[in-house]
Amino acid sequence: QKTIYSTDIGCYTLGALPPLEIGDTCLCMGASIGLGMGLSLVDKSKKIVSVIGDSTFYHAGIPGLINAVYNRYNILVAVMDNGVTAMTGHQPNPGSGVDAFGRETPRIDPEEIARGIGVERVETVNPYDIPKTLAVLKELRGVEGPSLIVFKAPCILLELRRKRRLGESVTFYRILEDKCTDCKACYTVIFCPALTPREGEKPRILENLCTGCGLCSHICPYKAIQPGGERKA
């Protein structure tokens, strides 16, 4: 109710679907920042969060951020940085550290670009560290003018591929039925395909789909979700 989310084209666009429903606008690559600036003028009572991916940020988001700094728009730009162009097939981007031929190249970070063009408040968080992430977001709500937060973590598909190549295992999670109260928080707060609600029964976690991120264990208010063992990646 207190926030408007202008989103962009990318994996994160799926967040507009239930149960997350994070996304009030979606137009084209780079539009989230431009729309966010306009919305910040229309309704000054709400915080504007412009969500954009790292690839789209490099491709079309930087001019919008420059304009936000130049005109002092009151928006928070949230960059989803997984170090790759995931939506279209995991092609490298300027933040990947390699080019299209696999050759090592300088890594360009959205944080450094933001600082270079004058964004005064720039933060980087690991989205799997929920307490710190929530604390930083709470601070940024009160920041006037443009600010930027980078959620930095590798694409889980690439991480699983890396583990598979190295022969590493994945720690999967399970629901302890004796502790589970069927409060439904695990599959209504986060949108994980491994979490499966069951009519008339308590939810379960599909072991073969669990990537071991542990988000559900942080969400569960009854500590009913715990590591259940390991499986091959």
Side-chain angles (χ1 to χ4, degrees):
Q1 298 298 317
K2 298 179 181 179
T3 309
I4 298 176
Y5 297 92
S6 58
T7 62
D8 225 295
I9 299 296
C11 306
Y12 44 89
T13 309
L14 298 172
L17 300 172
L20 299 181
E21 297 181 320
I22 299 297
D24 297 304
T25 71
C26 182
L27 183 59
C28 61
M29 292 181 75
S32 64
I33 299 178
L35 284 167
M37 288 187 286
L39 290 167
S40 71
L41 299 177
V42 174
D43 191 344
K44 297 183 183 296
S45 68
K46 294 184 178 180
K47 185 70 176 182
I48 309 298
V49 179
S50 296
V51 183
I52 191 168
D54 52 340
S55 301
T56 305
F57 177 79
Y58 300 124
H59 178 76
I62 297 172
L65 188 61
I66 291 174
N67 190 47
V69 173
Y70 181 63
N71 290 292
R72 299 295 300 169
Y73 283 100
N74 187 27
I75 66 169
L76 168 61
V77 177
V79 182
M80 308 288 113
D81 184 1
N82 57 16
V84 73
T85 311
M87 190 70 170
T88 55
H90 296 108
Q91 298 88 353
N93 65 39
S96 301
V98 295
D99 64 13
F101 297 98
R103 298 173 299 200
E104 193 170 320
T105 64
R107 189 187 300 274
I108 302 172
D109 291 318
E111 302 96 306
E112 296 305 313
I113 292 175
R115 293 188 182 99
I117 61 179
V119 179
E120 294 178 3
R121 186 66 185 270
V122 179
E123 297 286 348
T124 304
V125 295
N126 175 359
Y128 295 114
D129 185 346
I130 293 179
K132 181 181 178 181
T133 298
L134 291 178
V136 172
L137 285 172
K138 187 176 181 179
E139 288 180 22
L140 292 176
R141 284 198 65 85
V143 173
E144 293 294 325
S147 56
L148 182 136
I149 182 171
V150 179
F151 296 88
K152 194 180 290 285
C155 172
I156 193 62
L157 297 179
L158 285 183
E159 183 64 11
L160 289 174
R161 190 181 302 167
R162 182 191 67 80
K163 288 187 175 184
R164 195 177 300 121
R165 186 172 62 249
L166 296 175
E168 296 179 0
S169 59
V170 173
T171 299
F172 63 86
Y173 283 72
R174 63 187 179 93
I175 296 175
L176 306 178
E177 292 207 10
D178 58 326
K179 290 188 176 183
C180 176
T181 64
D182 197 20
C183 70
K184 301 178 175 56
C186 57
Y187 59 85
T188 56
V189 176
I190 59 174
F191 193 28
C192 176
L195 277 163
T196 307
R198 298 185 292 174
E199 190 172 347
E201 297 183 63
K202 294 178 179 179
R204 62 183 293 226
I205 296 175
L206 301 177
E207 176 186 323
N208 61 324
L209 292 181
C210 179
T211 62
C213 72
L215 276 177
C216 55
S217 67
H218 288 286
I219 294 298
C220 180
Y222 300 99
K223 307 299 181 185
I225 303 179
Q226 301 291 336
E230 294 188 346
R231 66 172 178 84
K232 289 184 178 180

